[in-house]
Amino acid sequence: AVVSTQSTGMFWNNELDTSNLITWQDHRCSDEFITEIRSFSEFGEDLHTGYGSATLAWLAQNSPQILEKYEHCGTIADYLVYVLCDLKECVISDHNAQSWGYFNEQTHNWDSTALNTARVTISLPKIVNNGNIIGCVTDDKFNIQKGAQVFIPIGDLQASVYSVLGGNSGRVFNYGTASQIVHTTKPDDFRDIPASVRRTLYTDEYNLITAASLNGGNSVEVVFNLFSSLSADNKLDYDTVMELAYEKRNTDLKICPVFFGERHNTRTQGSFTNVTSDNLTVGDISAAVFRGVVENLGDMISGVEDNSDILYAVGIAERPVLQYFLKEFMGDFVLFDKEVTAAYGAILFDLANKR
């Protein structure tokens, strides 16, 4: 059995009572709090609100009674394999451990001193390298045959990228709820990178450098909902918005659609500029939002982007307006219209990287 997951988090006890799921969109940690807990560790610079270790620290200092109910924590996929394999301790892949923060990449261990300083008392999962089999299904559960081997769950980002690149080098632009641009790099490439991008573990041969914006399809959804609320007959549909946006792709309206902030700058806000009486149409606004999503990603990865590899574009095959702006800001690309899911990528990854 193969599993992948986003860097979500949850808690459970030995009786398998669970907490609510805490997603990467958790924004309870203030900038001041993040600055404080970053100072506890030399590996704290890559800690942001929504990361597992940040949420644990916040709960430990603000709602410790929640943590007192549970003995285990991990991603939702870690919980799944804990149940499937009837494990005695929780395990987490190095991919997902890194996405939680307070992770020592050299030793592949948690920074226990920082966690103690942050007053985190719940035991964090044991870190296991990706590609390892961690157990077998103990009973026929979820229509999975008893005895099936189970791999350690890998990261959603890594699995999705692997479904496009496999074990090869390259670049990937992905448009979904949020948006990302990713390129591979050698593990010994220790170039300085800005706060707007992060380096993540991938395979033994490559790391990933990623600009992971919190804004993408969700920003377009904000504008679409605005149009719907203003439309008297509510007949405006998404396909129509896409068509109108393409017609107005050369609009002079400028929109910075960072309506959800960014991890490296949580206080950044969206903006409309160069507004005139002629460019406040559905087409102009939609086109400007699509352009802003792509331009924002280009700004985030500026200075570290490697243009030597082919850029594969995912999620935009039916969105010609996004193709237009991707070409404008990122250059030539190849539309990738094959199966691109984390589930499919996780299968390919684990088969190729089994240890």
Side-chain angles (χ1 to χ4, degrees):
V2 173
V3 185
S4 72
T5 182
Q6 293 182 336
S7 54
T8 55
M10 59 184 293
F11 312 108
W12 64 95
N13 58 27
N14 293 328
E15 289 72 42
L16 301 184
D17 298 320
T18 65
S19 68
N20 293 329
L21 182 67
I22 302 171
T23 76
W24 56 270
Q25 294 173 305
D26 176 29
H27 283 175
R28 75 187 77 197
C29 298
S30 67
D31 289 349
E32 292 75 18
F33 183 79
I34 291 294
T35 298
E36 178 188 6
I37 62 175
R38 279 177 177 172
S39 68
F40 299 160
S41 173
E42 63 178 296
F43 316 108
E45 280 303 311
D46 199 28
L47 199 59
H48 302 278
T49 187
Y51 281 32
S53 293
T55 298
L56 279 173
W58 190 95
L59 289 171
Q61 298 182 35
N62 294 278
S63 299
Q65 70 279 5
I66 294 178
L67 297 180
E68 291 170 0
K69 304 175 186 177
Y70 306 106
E71 288 90 25
H72 310 285
C73 64
T75 70
I76 190 171
D78 299 328
Y79 171 74
L80 175 62
V81 299
Y82 180 89
V83 174
L84 283 175
C85 301
D86 194 21
L87 298 177
K88 302 307 177 187
E89 66 175 338
C90 181
V91 294
I92 190 172
S93 70
D94 47 1
H95 286 176
N96 288 322
Q98 186 184 39
S99 73
W100 271 42
Y102 284 160
F103 171 75
N104 185 330
E105 189 175 327
Q106 281 69 48
T107 65
H108 278 220
N109 287 314
W110 302 110
D111 187 338
S112 56
T113 301
L115 290 164
N116 289 335
T117 306
R119 290 183 260 168
V120 174
T121 57
I122 192 170
S123 296
L124 268 70
K126 176 184 177 182
I127 299 173
V128 177
N129 286 344
N130 64 75
N132 274 289
I133 294 171
I134 56 172
C136 297
V137 178
T138 55
D139 296 296
D140 291 330
K141 301 173 180 175
F142 311 111
N143 294 320
I144 302 175
Q145 184 177 359
K146 179 180 178 180
Q149 294 180 323
V150 179
F151 284 88
I152 186 75
I154 66 171
D156 175 77
L157 171 68
Q158 290 89 341
S160 297
V161 170
Y162 205 88
S163 71
V164 179
L165 298 180
N168 302 313
S169 64
R171 300 183 294 152
V172 177
F173 168 83
N174 181 61
Y175 173 83
T177 302
S179 58
Q180 306 88 30
I181 186 165
V182 183
H183 71 82
T184 54
T185 186
K186 292 291 185 179
D188 58 357
D189 178 1
F190 295 114
R191 77 179 93 171
D192 290 334
I193 58 176
S196 56
V197 301
R198 65 186 299 252
R199 180 191 302 272
T200 54
L201 299 174
Y202 183 45
T203 65
D204 290 343
E205 187 174 1
Y206 294 109
N207 285 172
L208 300 178
I209 290 182
T210 307
S213 174
L214 298 178
N215 302 272
N218 51 2
S219 294
V220 178
E221 188 73 15
V222 168
V223 174
F224 180 75
N225 289 338
L226 172 64
F227 296 152
S228 297
S229 68
L230 296 176
S231 176
D233 55 13
N234 266 339
K235 291 184 178 178
L236 191 65
D237 59 71
Y238 194 77
D239 289 338
T240 301
V241 170
M242 295 293 297
E243 292 173 4
L244 293 173
Y246 188 73
E247 291 175 5
K248 293 289 187 177
R249 60 192 180 277
N250 294 314
T251 180
D252 55 359
L253 177 66
K254 306 293 184 183
I255 297 179
C256 179
V258 289
F259 307 137
F260 300 91
E262 295 292 3
R263 290 185 180 91
H264 65 285
N265 186 0
T266 59
R267 296 182 179 180
T268 188
Q269 297 177 328
S271 63
F272 284 54
T273 56
N274 204 38
V275 179
T276 70
S277 59
D278 297 322
N279 63 16
L280 279 180
T281 69
V282 171
D284 286 281
I285 294 172
S286 302
V289 169
F290 282 118
R291 179 176 57 205
V293 166
V294 178
E295 187 173 13
N296 178 54
L297 270 180
D299 290 342
M300 287 176 64
I301 206 164
S302 176
V304 296
E305 172 68 316
D306 181 358
N307 296 317
S308 61
D309 284 321
I310 296 173
L311 174 63
Y312 293 96
V314 176
I316 67 170
E318 299 177 356
R319 298 175 173 88
V321 65
L322 267 173
Q323 296 175 34
Y324 178 83
F325 291 127
L326 188 62
K327 169 78 172 178
E328 178 181 345
F329 290 103
M330 306 289 183
D332 292 332
F333 63 90
V334 174
L335 277 178
F336 195 88
D337 55 3
K338 299 178 183 178
E339 183 76 16
V340 181
T341 67
Y344 177 65
I347 294 171
L348 297 179
F349 184 99
D350 284 334
L351 289 176
N353 296 276
K354 182 178 178 180
R355 299 180 190 276

